[in-house]
């Protein structure tokens, strides 16, 4: 790294905050269908013209808007992913990232105290923050769930438990790929409306049910051929992660599969970059969460009595990986 790169790294949050402001003010939804002048848009969103024009110029410089004369409009990309009218809208996950910014500004305090400086986003401090988290997870999962579901062989498996499944994205795509599969999405009661609406949107309400409860203290049920745990363990301590995996294994039929997706660290924990930073995100927002290495996940799975533990050969972004193990017969 050189000095210019160091300074660019230090100020890169300027770009991030400009994007977040554009999404929070819903700029892209208004400019997706037709160009508008700053004055026209300022009247609609009740904004100061001078401040809004600065933001519009910043978004243009980021290649998220186009300027023609005195008017601004979305690019093809921003209309597809940042306008609420688009089926590919990614604004929920961007707003989730926005709600994380304040906590990250206190990372030094989290390091000194060894604990969180904000509330967990999954519980949130308000309805908007909780919705951004849950539907943000839907945004992210929608990008990769179809590919993962297509590459994992669940032939002959009939019941799947999507543990802490949020809006049910993975249950949906596993069921789409496997016509004989039925699923249960297990999560907190506050998640039910988001999950049921999402499942209904895909026309799978007859095959995917929702079960409400606390993963650590409540019963998960039994008789499942597959348990899918996606991006849950990182929010918990090693002891709680082991307890969750133990309960998941007890929910499996003999010979059933446990699948765990996480951002997986190398065994020395110094790479890849995203899981190392994600571990800090857990420090900021959870009591004992962290990213785990492949060896740590393997140890947890073996301790629960699983056999044939391995990492599936899937090409996933951000250091993500899927571990699989088989319950004893």
């Amino acid at each position: 790294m050189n000095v210019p790169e160091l300074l660019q790294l230090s100020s890169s949050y300027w770009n991030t905050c400009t994007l977040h402001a554009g999404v929070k003010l819903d700029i892209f939804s208004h400019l997706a269908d037709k160009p508008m002048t700053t004055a026209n848009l300022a009247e609609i969103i009740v904004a100061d013209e001078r401040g809004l024009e600065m933001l519009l110029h910043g978004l243009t410089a980021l290649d998220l808007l186009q300027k023609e004369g005195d008017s601004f409009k979305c690019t093809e990309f921003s209309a597809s992913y940042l306008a609420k009218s688009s089926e590919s809208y990614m604004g929920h996950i961007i707003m989730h990232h926005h709600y994380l910014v304040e906590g990250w500004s206190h990372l030094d305090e989290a390091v000194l105290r060894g604990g969180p400086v904000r509330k967990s986003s999954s519980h949130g401090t308000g309805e908007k923050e909780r919705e951004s988290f849950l539907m943000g997870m839907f945004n992210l999962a929608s990008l990769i769930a179809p590919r993962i579901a297509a590459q994992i062989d669940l032939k002959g498996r009939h019941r799947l438990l999507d543990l802490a499944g949020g809006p049910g994205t993975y249950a949906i795509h596993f069921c789409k790929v496997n016509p004989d599969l039925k699923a249960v999405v297990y999560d907190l009661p506050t998640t039910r409306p988001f999950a049921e609406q999402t499942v209904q949107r895909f026309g799978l309400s007859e095959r995917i049910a929702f079960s409400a409860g606390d993963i650590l203290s409540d019963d998960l049920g039994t008789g499942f051929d597959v348990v899918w745990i996606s991006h849950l363990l990182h929010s918990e301590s090693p002891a709680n992660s082991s307890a969750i995996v133990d309960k998941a294994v007890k929910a499996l039929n003999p010979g059933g599969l446990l699948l765990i997706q996480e951002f997986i660290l190398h065994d020395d924990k110094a790479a890849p970059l995203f899981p190392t930073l994600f571990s800090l995100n857990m420090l900021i927002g959870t009591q004992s969460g962290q990213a785990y290495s492949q060896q740590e996940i393997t140890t947890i799975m073996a301790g629960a009595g699983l056999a044939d533990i391995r990492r599936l050969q899937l090409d996933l972004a951000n250091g993500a990986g899927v571990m699989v193990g088989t319950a004893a017969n």
Side-chain angles (χ1 to χ4, degrees):
M1 180 177 287
N2 56 41
V3 171
E5 290 172 337
L6 175 65
L7 296 180
Q8 184 176 15
L9 173 62
S10 178
S11 64
S12 60
Y13 69 95
W14 295 3
N15 295 14
T16 300
C17 290
T18 301
L19 168 62
H20 290 183
V23 173
K24 190 173 184 179
L25 295 174
D26 207 18
I27 299 293
F28 305 100
S29 294
H30 293 295
L31 299 180
D33 296 325
K34 63 179 181 179
M36 286 189 190
T37 64
T38 303
N40 292 150
L41 184 57
E43 185 176 355
I44 292 172
I45 69 171
V46 193
D48 174 77
E49 282 190 42
R50 176 175 174 270
L52 178 59
E53 186 165 68
M54 289 179 177
L55 176 60
L56 294 176
H57 283 149
L59 293 170
T60 301
L62 288 171
D63 293 326
L64 295 172
L65 294 178
Q66 295 175 333
K67 187 176 183 182
E68 298 176 352
D70 292 331
S71 297
F72 297 86
K73 68 175 184 179
C74 282
T75 64
E76 183 177 345
F77 177 86
S78 62
S80 294
Y81 294 103
L82 298 176
K84 287 181 177 177
S85 58
S86 172
E87 291 186 1
S88 302
Y89 180 64
M90 298 294 291
H92 296 297
I93 187 59
I94 291 172
M95 285 306 300
H96 170 58
H97 291 156
H98 169 72
Y99 288 122
L100 298 181
V101 169
E102 183 179 0
W104 271 89
S105 71
H106 297 282
L107 174 59
D108 57 323
E109 298 173 30
V111 169
L112 291 174
R113 71 171 64 171
V117 291
R118 62 167 170 79
K119 284 191 175 182
S120 168
S121 299
S122 59
H123 296 78
T125 56
E127 188 65 26
K128 286 187 176 180
E129 184 173 351
R130 190 159 50 248
E131 179 183 12
S132 294
F133 172 77
L134 290 170
M135 297 314 295
M137 297 307 101
F138 173 76
N139 283 161
L140 290 181
S142 294
L143 295 176
I144 58 174
R147 185 156 53 92
I148 288 177
Q151 294 184 71
I152 295 178
D153 183 11
L154 297 184
K155 192 175 299 180
R157 313 281 179 176
H158 300 289
R159 292 191 73 218
L160 178 143
L161 175 62
D162 189 355
L163 202 54
T169 318
Y170 283 98
I172 288 166
H173 287 283
F174 279 123
C175 284
K176 286 181 68 176
V177 171
N178 300 276
D180 295 330
L181 189 67
K182 292 187 177 181
V184 173
V185 177
Y186 189 103
D187 213 317
L188 295 170
T190 52
T191 306
R192 182 187 291 273
F194 302 101
E196 291 182 343
Q197 290 167 18
T198 306
V199 169
Q200 185 178 31
R201 192 194 320 168
F202 282 84
L204 290 168
S205 297
E206 293 185 2
R207 293 173 57 198
I208 301 176
F210 184 89
S211 181
D214 183 289
I215 290 167
L216 286 168
S217 59
D218 295 333
D219 181 59
L220 304 181
T222 57
F224 294 99
D225 301 306
V226 184
V227 176
W228 170 257
I229 306 177
S230 180
H231 296 303
L232 168 63
L233 300 189
H234 60 237
S235 63
E236 301 292 343
S237 67
N240 281 352
S241 294
S242 294
I244 289 168
V245 172
D246 284 344
K247 291 183 74 172
V249 171
K250 289 181 173 65
L252 282 169
N253 289 325
L257 295 180
L258 177 66
L259 296 153
I260 298 175
Q261 179 177 215
E262 283 291 340
F263 300 120
I264 301 176
L265 289 162
H266 292 172
D267 288 343
D268 68 1
K269 298 193 176 184
L273 176 60
F274 188 86
T276 67
L277 298 180
F278 194 82
S279 207
L280 289 172
N281 192 48
M282 292 300 97
L283 172 68
I284 291 167
T286 69
Q287 288 293 333
S288 305
Q290 62 180 73
Y292 290 95
S293 69
Q294 182 166 324
Q295 183 56 55
E296 286 173 322
I297 296 173
T298 299
T299 299
I300 289 172
M301 295 174 76
L306 293 166
D308 191 24
I309 300 166
R310 64 195 187 280
R311 183 170 179 171
L312 298 180
Q313 296 302 305
L314 302 173
D315 184 18
L316 304 177
N318 294 328
V322 176
M323 303 287 294
V324 61
T326 305
N329 286 310

